[in-house]
Amino acid sequence: MKTHYYLGWFTDFFPQNLSKALKEDLPERKSLVMVSSDPSDTEVDGAVERSWLHQAGISFDEYHLIDSRVEQEVAHALIRNASAIFLLGGDTLKQNQFLKEYELAEPIKTSAALVMGASAGAINMSAKWKCSERFGYAVGMDTVCDGLALDPFSVLSHFDLENNMALVQEELSALSNEMNVYASNKDCALRSKGGSIDILGDVYVMSHSVIRKMEETF
């Protein structure tokens, strides 16, 4: 049963109910493999994301970071042997390019590991995502980027929905005609497990241009 966690960005640490769910979904914790969001920047080391897990009482025997210093074949081997894969937050576009350059999509999709992503990582786990200036990307033209497609929906993670709901609806309306779009702010999580979806915090779903708030189930 594939389990995927699409996380926002947590102000402090995971809330207790999210920590409990992760512990239950991670009975084996031999190896955590993190995928950088800026592979050429050695300061992107996942320290914040690891602190969330540590505070939740979730530790692993081994920790590995995949960035440009790691050879592609080694990266694939690490993913194959991972208990959990964590796509780090940060630069969504750079991470997206790195995933393609290192051909990480297939190893991640076929891995038995639990896969989670925070902010940029969560966005890149989704099937497609909107890259536009209005969402803060320094691009000349709006594009729809392909993600890992771990699930057949799109994710907008760690975005200020309270003050930008109209913008979100305008930007994502067209994509919502193709697939469901889940939008969340910080301190939120969406879990896809065995075909069902669980929600923590303020998460909205848009389908065919209609947006509604999801009920919390964690």
Side-chain angles (χ1 to χ4, degrees), residues 164-180:
N164 296 285
M165 189 62 76
L167 182 154
V168 168
Q169 289 184 278
E170 290 172 14
E171 287 290 300
L172 299 177
S173 179
L175 185 57
S176 77
N177 291 325
E178 184 179 342
M179 63 184 66
N180 283 352

Side-chain angles (χ1 to χ4, degrees), residues 12-25:
D12 295 309
F13 301 109
F14 290 155
Q16 188 173 358
N17 43 1
L18 177 59
S19 299
K20 182 175 182 290
L22 271 168
K23 284 180 179 177
E24 291 172 356
D25 288 333

Side-chain angles (χ1 to χ4, degrees), residues 96-117:
N96 186 268
Q97 182 59 41
F98 184 58
L99 291 167
K100 292 175 181 176
E101 179 187 336
Y102 265 49
E103 299 178 341
L104 296 179
E106 193 61 26
I108 291 175
K109 291 175 77 170
T110 56
S111 171
L114 179 148
V115 184
M116 50 189 159

Side-chain angles (χ1 to χ4, degrees), residues 130-169:
K130 178 75 175 287
C131 177
S132 75
E133 283 197 61
R134 298 181 79 191
F135 282 151
Y137 297 102
V139 291
M141 182 178 7
D142 292 358
T143 56
V144 175
C145 300
D146 291 326
L148 294 174
L150 301 187
D151 291 287
F153 52 70
S154 178
V155 169
L156 173 66
S157 178
H158 187 203
F159 194 75
D160 182 5
L161 298 175
E162 288 80 0
N163 297 309
N164 296 285
M165 189 62 76
L167 182 154
V168 168
Q169 289 184 278

Side-chain angles (χ1 to χ4, degrees), residues 63-125:
Y63 294 84
H64 302 278
L65 174 67
I66 296 176
D67 60 15
S68 57
R69 295 170 295 181
V70 178
E71 292 184 3
Q72 183 173 326
E73 290 183 3
V74 175
H76 285 212
L78 288 172
I79 287 170
R80 283 195 301 270
N81 296 316
S83 305
I85 300 164
F86 204 146
L87 278 75
L88 302 179
D91 193 312
T92 317
L93 277 171
K94 287 183 179 179
Q95 186 179 64
N96 186 268
Q97 182 59 41
F98 184 58
L99 291 167
K100 292 175 181 176
E101 179 187 336
Y102 265 49
E103 299 178 341
L104 296 179
E106 193 61 26
I108 291 175
K109 291 175 77 170
T110 56
S111 171
L114 179 148
V115 184
M116 50 189 159
S119 191
I123 293 169
N124 275 318
M125 285 168 57

Side-chain angles (χ1 to χ4, degrees), residues 178-192:
E178 184 179 342
M179 63 184 66
N180 283 352
V181 180
Y182 292 92
S184 67
N185 205 333
K186 59 185 179 181
D187 298 313
C188 296
L190 181 154
R191 177 179 67 177
S192 170

